[in-house]
Amino acid sequence: MGRESRCGYHGQTGAIGAVDIGRRIISAGGNAEATLAQLEFALKDRGKAEYLNSQLNEFAKNAPIPISQIKQQAAFLAPVFGDQTFKYFKQLGDVVSGSGNIAYNFSQIKSMGRTTGMDLRQFAMQNIPIYQELAKVIGKTEQDVIQLSSEGKITFDMVAKAFKNMTKEGGKYYGAMEAKAHTFQGQWQIISNKMQLIFSKIFIKLQPYLKQFSNWIEKIIDDFDNWWPKVKKIGKTLLWTFAGYQI
């Protein structure tokens, strides 16, 4: 490969890399904006939303969970738990790292004050031993728990205590997040989360310029009918001048 070819190849590769980084910055910044808007809508207070968002960002720096999932879980909790969102999010943290999405079901139970049974079944389907833990909390058998939940007699406080027991020392999920964080996949996810946070910060710095660019593009689109005939006329003139014929 000649020198010119190598320069062209490296230039093309660098351009593609720059475009990809730009895309990642805009994506990360856009997602961060959307999350903050969700939290602000849920908490009805910009300052509280920003504080919760900063807590989640700090949490993500050491969590082997995608930052998008962390924000999604918090967004489910915030409308119901308000100022206590982060407290319950941390309580669910170890369970989240070992299972799927549980915040939505947890919030539903909180909203209703009790469970009708479907929420518990959804927990069980994610391999969370909710029936066993509730049986310990209320001093009944697992079958009793199933029956009581169908009657609406399993309250949110009971469910919350069951989750607390699962994540405290000696519980099934105690230390699950820390253990996952020490795996290669966990470490890689933590690095990814930190990169997302860096991209978000860059987005904030570039936002005024991105806004100017967006306004410029919008103006061009709005003025399309005015400037297009001029461009077309210039194009015809150039073709006639250099190509020797007229369109």
Side-chain angles (χ1 to χ4, degrees), residues 10 21 29 35 113 137 146 155 158 169 172 174 195 221 228:
H10 291 311
I21 291 175
T35 298
V137 169
I146 294 173
T155 67
M158 295 175 182
E169 186 172 0
K172 177 180 175 62
Y174 177 74
M195 289 302 300
I221 293 172
W228 176 245

Side-chain angles (χ1 to χ4, degrees), residues 165-174:
N165 289 344
M166 282 189 279
T167 56
K168 71 181 184 181
E169 186 172 0
K172 177 180 175 62
Y173 292 102
Y174 177 74

Side-chain angles (χ1 to χ4, degrees), residues 2-247:
R3 182 178 179 182
E4 291 183 2
S5 298
R6 287 198 300 271
C7 289
Y9 172 77
H10 291 311
Q12 186 180 36
T13 302
I16 293 173
V19 169
D20 183 61
I21 291 175
R23 179 184 61 79
R24 290 173 184 271
I25 288 171
I26 292 174
S27 176
N31 290 337
E33 276 192 323
T35 298
L36 187 58
Q38 280 184 299
L39 296 178
E40 183 177 359
F41 180 78
L43 300 174
K44 310 300 180 187
D45 186 290
R46 179 76 177 186
K48 290 181 179 179
E50 289 177 343
Y51 180 64
L52 175 57
N53 193 51
S54 68
Q55 288 180 303
L56 295 172
N57 287 342
E58 286 300 314
F59 181 87
K61 290 178 181 179
N62 298 293
I65 307 171
I67 193 168
S68 58
Q69 185 178 342
I70 290 172
K71 299 294 181 74
Q72 182 185 52
Q73 300 277 343
F76 283 139
L77 296 172
V80 178
F81 292 95
D83 293 345
Q84 294 185 307
T85 295
F86 192 64
K87 167 190 170 184
Y88 280 101
F89 175 82
K90 288 205 319 184
Q91 181 176 312
L92 296 176
D94 280 330
V95 185
V96 170
S97 70
S99 302
N101 184 6
I102 64 168
Y104 181 73
N105 295 337
F106 196 73
S107 297
Q108 279 190 321
I109 297 172
K110 171 64 175 177
S111 296
M112 297 177 64
R114 61 193 70 250
T115 176
T116 56
M118 177 60 72
D119 299 300
L120 299 187
R121 286 196 292 274
Q122 289 176 337
F123 285 145
M125 288 172 64
Q126 295 180 78
N127 296 319
I128 299 173
I130 191 65
Y131 295 120
Q132 297 94 313
E133 293 299 327
L134 280 169
K136 297 175 185 176
V137 169
I138 64 176
K140 301 284 186 178
T141 67
E142 292 180 32
Q143 287 301 315
D144 289 334
V145 170
I146 294 173
Q147 180 61 37
L148 290 170
S149 66
S150 67
E151 297 171 357
K153 295 180 180 179
I154 298 296
T155 67
F156 169 75
D157 289 340
M158 295 175 182
V159 175
K161 187 173 182 180
F163 272 95
K164 186 176 182 180
N165 289 344
M166 282 189 279
T167 56
K168 71 181 184 181
E169 186 172 0
K172 177 180 175 62
Y173 292 102
Y174 177 74
M177 187 176 299
E178 183 179 358
K180 189 173 181 179
H182 285 95
T183 65
F184 175 79
Q185 185 179 15
Q187 286 292 310
W188 190 252
Q189 184 58 64
I190 290 172
I191 292 172
S192 177
N193 287 348
K194 290 180 178 179
M195 289 302 300
Q196 289 294 307
L197 293 172
I198 290 173
F199 287 150
S200 295
K201 289 181 179 179
I202 295 174
F203 177 83
I204 293 173
K205 297 292 185 183
L206 295 178
Q207 202 167 19
Y209 306 102
L210 293 173
K211 180 63 175 175
Q212 290 176 12
F213 178 73
S214 176
N215 291 339
W216 179 69
I217 293 295
E218 186 176 354
K219 188 176 187 303
I220 289 177
I221 293 172
D222 291 341
D223 293 342
F224 177 83
D225 291 336
N226 294 326
W227 60 259
W228 176 245
K230 298 177 183 178
V231 173
K232 188 176 180 181
K233 184 177 179 180
I234 293 172
K236 287 182 177 180
T237 301
L238 290 174
L239 283 173
W240 182 85
T241 301
F242 294 103
Y245 65 91
Q246 188 174 4
I247 297 177

